[in-house]
Amino acid sequence: MPADSTQIHNIGYRHYDGPRLGRAYATRSLFSQSLRGAYGLGRSAKSKVLPMILFGVMCAPALIMVAVAVATKANDLPIDYTRYAIVLQAVISLYLAAQAPQTVSRDLRFQTVPLYFSRPIDRVDYVRAKFAALSSALFILTAAPLIVLYVGALLAKLDFADQTKGFAQGLVSVALLSVLFSGIALVISAVTPRRGFGIAAVIAVLTISYGAVSTVQAIAHEQGSSEAISWLGLFSPITLIDGLQTAFLGATSAFPGKEGPSAGAGVVYVVVVLALIAGSYAALLRRYRKAGL
Amino acid sequence: MTVIATESLSKRYPRVTALDRLSMDIGPGVTGLVGANGAGKSTLIKILLGLSPATEGRAAVLGLDVATSGGEIRERVGYMPEHDCLPPDVSATEFVVHMARMSGLPPAAARERTADTLRHVGLYEERYRPIGGYSTGMKQRVKLAQALVHDPQLVFLDEPTNGLDPVGRDEMLALIRRVHTDFGISVLVTSHLLGELERTCDHVVVVDGGKLLRSSSTTDFTQTTTTLAVEVTDSDEHPDGTGALRKALHGLGVDTQDDGGGLPGAGHTVLLEAAGEETYDLVRDVVADLGLGLVRMEQRRHHIAEVFRTKDAESTEDETAETAADGAQGRAASERAAAWAANTAKTATTAAAEQTGGGSDAR
């Protein structure tokens, strides 16, 4: 036996001369890591539990509805595509409350952010990757049940054109919802890095604003001022999406008395939604200007 | 070749001047950046990473201008922050792989480099466990690993020995030394302890209040005159071995001094000026002729603190205390003494002298 095959060599330090893929690749890696992280993938088993349960809870009603529709040979699905996310908004809020702090607060709390910024990516890349990751995670959560509904509707041999139109409208609606909600939740989480604080703050902002708006809307409805109802919807994220899709995506409003905004007021809704998305992006950038080293 | 060059670099905040017209050139090797807290060390690193614009002046890292090529610089340098920066719920491997990808390494290369780097910094089986359960020393190693994983040409280490016990400190300093000697990566290491840096660095830059106090090579001011510390055993023939050695050396015209530090064992240490290689030989021969055992023979460097004492008497007092303590531990065993010990053939001396050699190898 040759002597050298029995020896253990200390191969020493080896230099790396392979490719360095730069900023765009690093941003993509951060995006995929954060997206996977939002479902607990690549993290401990414990952190998979909540997102997976919520994903199940989000899809379960859709499965039941589809099963009923197929079994009873119904003419239509029991719920509109656009309405689904509005009905299950509590699940969405819970998911965001759990995952938005996970996405940004961890890096702030454990001061990992400087390690990112000492690498090729800068804060714009970082914010974009995190924003895109949480929006995509939320889109997966809200679009998956719509896909279940659509596939079920086709299996139940419902009208193809009708269903496809509804499905497409639903997808646009949840896409907007995902970006809007993620932006708001990320900003809240980024300014409350302490554990637990962010969770409570996200739930509070999403549910209290909805509670307040719908209460005042109910009062307005009692007093018969239908004009006020549609303008009040501007003041909470979920009613914003509701109003927007009522005006432009053929949805039936969940406002009291189904008093959704007209097309004119709908334009204001679109402007407010876009302004909020842009505003939360700007606020995140601002937040990370100081979070450097 | 210049690794870092600054030219009247200034950084002023509304109320504080963090850096004040700092001009220096730093070559390859291990460079220490010494200064009290708030002296501008971290600000300098931030500017050198291209993350914070200088108010005035210019700086270049690896020949790239920090104002315009921040991204390129950050691809080629590593940074180990002073504070905690590790999430507790992931393993060292997962974390370092992620950081490697953030530096632009493809997934397979990121995993391979992570395994290599963690091994080099001395993390083995524990690298699969969550970081939350690590000791401070292990965490510092992970922080160092993430700074080295993308094989940078230069690393910035901000207070790497913070929070470590004396043994951990020595291990970290030895590791930093290896980063340059074995890995070929230049190092800029900050510390507020001069004593640490004189053992580790080729070059020391002292800043205070954002101003450059001094920039020079450690050999410049610690090796121009070499004091040799010798300790011998007693024998039946010479009950006072130290005294006998003193006398014999005197007879040969070599002046000796006491170790005046008043430290334990000081009376048994003979100090003499080493003129060159022949002094080492002379001591060896004299000790062997007397039939004494040579317990230790080491080069005692002048401490950097002494060099600065005249300049900055008050502010370095803490560091002086620190270096004195280090000196008492006999840490400054020189390579020359070790090499000499290894080459010695005389039996009586070899066994004893190898203690010294062994000691400095471990370092």
Side-chain angles (χ1 to χ4, degrees), chain B residues 10-74:
Chain B
S10 301
K11 178 77 182 178
R12 292 192 192 89
Y13 294 108
R15 268 179 295 173
V16 204
T17 300
L19 289 178
D20 192 9
R21 294 188 299 278
L22 193 68
S23 296
M24 59 181 185
D25 287 311
I26 294 175
V30 183
T31 304
L33 181 61
V34 193
N37 292 336
K41 293 171 293 182
S42 299
T43 308
L44 179 62
I45 290 184
K46 228 194 281 188
I47 293 176
L48 294 178
L49 282 169
L51 295 173
S52 165
T55 317
E56 241 172 63
R58 274 190 314 219
V61 174
L62 303 168
L64 299 162
D65 191 331
V66 295
T68 52
S69 317
E72 282 166 77
I73 291 171
R74 292 197 296 275

Side-chain angles (χ1 to χ4, degrees), chain B residues 118-302:
Chain B
L118 286 174
R119 183 168 53 80
H120 281 300
V121 301
L123 280 175
Y124 302 96
E125 287 314 306
E126 56 272 26
R127 65 177 189 259
Y128 302 113
R129 293 206 316 260
I131 296 172
Y134 287 13
S135 68
T136 310
M138 282 155 73
K139 283 182 185 163
Q140 291 296 90
R141 284 161 197 261
V142 180
K143 280 163 65 176
L144 182 62
Q146 67 78 31
L148 295 173
V149 70
H150 53 296
D151 190 26
Q153 288 163 261
L154 168 71
V155 281
F156 297 121
L157 310 178
D158 202 353
E159 307 268 358
T161 55
N162 241 9
L164 297 177
D165 61 18
V167 176
R169 235 161 231 267
D170 285 340
E171 286 172 357
M172 179 54 73
L173 290 171
L175 200 52
I176 291 168
R177 193 67 224 163
R178 275 185 58 216
V179 169
H180 175 61
T181 53
D182 296 5
F183 308 172
I185 298 170
S186 289
V187 180
L188 180 72
V189 50
T190 76
S191 177
H192 51 271
L193 300 177
L194 280 163
E196 287 187 348
L197 294 182
E198 72 162 2
R199 306 201 313 256
T200 319
C201 300
D202 306 318
H203 195 95
V204 169
V205 174
V206 183
V207 288
D208 189 36
K211 285 203 178 93
L212 184 68
L213 217 58
R214 175 148 183 179
S215 165
S216 34
S217 145
T218 39
T219 52
D220 274 3
F221 44 77
T222 59
Q223 284 180 355
T224 40
T225 59
T226 310
T227 306
L228 210 58
V230 184
E231 204 179 320
V232 292
T233 58
D234 302 330
S235 68
D236 292 340
E237 206 181 323
H238 300 285
D240 176 16
T242 313
L245 176 64
R246 250 180 235 288
K247 225 160 126 190
L249 285 171
H250 246 305
L252 292 164
V254 180
D255 278 339
T256 61
Q257 290 129 30
D258 277 326
D259 192 342
L263 297 159
H268 296 288
T269 309
V270 177
L271 296 182
L272 59 142
E273 296 285 310
E277 295 288 336
E278 58 280 4
T279 316
Y280 293 81
D281 292 346
L282 179 77
V283 174
R284 176 197 61 194
D285 293 342
V286 168
V287 173
D289 289 345
L290 291 168
L292 302 171
L294 185 57
V295 175
R296 119 187 126 99
M297 174 153 93
E298 63 176 28
Q299 220 177 43
R300 179 155 299 180
R301 285 180 176 182
H302 288 262

Side-chain angles (χ1 to χ4, degrees), chain B residues 301-336:
Chain B
R301 285 180 176 182
H302 288 262
H303 297 298
I304 296 174
E306 293 167 23
V307 180
F308 292 113
R309 192 174 288 151
T310 46
K311 240 177 187 165
D312 198 21
E314 287 91 50
S315 70
T316 49
E317 244 168 39
D318 292 346
E319 283 91 350
T320 315
E322 172 81 17
T323 40
D326 285 345
Q329 290 169 13
R331 288 264 158 220
S334 77
E335 273 88 354
R336 262 164 87 199

Side-chain angles (χ1 to χ4, degrees), chain A residues 80-85 139 142-143 146 163-177 245 249:
Chain A
D80 285 343
Y81 290 102
T82 44
R83 191 71 190 275
Y84 195 88
F139 183 70
T142 48
L146 299 190
Q163 293 299 321
T164 307
K165 185 169 171 250
F167 178 57
Q169 287 171 333
L171 284 186
V172 173
S173 156
V174 295
L176 271 174
L177 179 145
Q245 64 184 8
L249 295 168

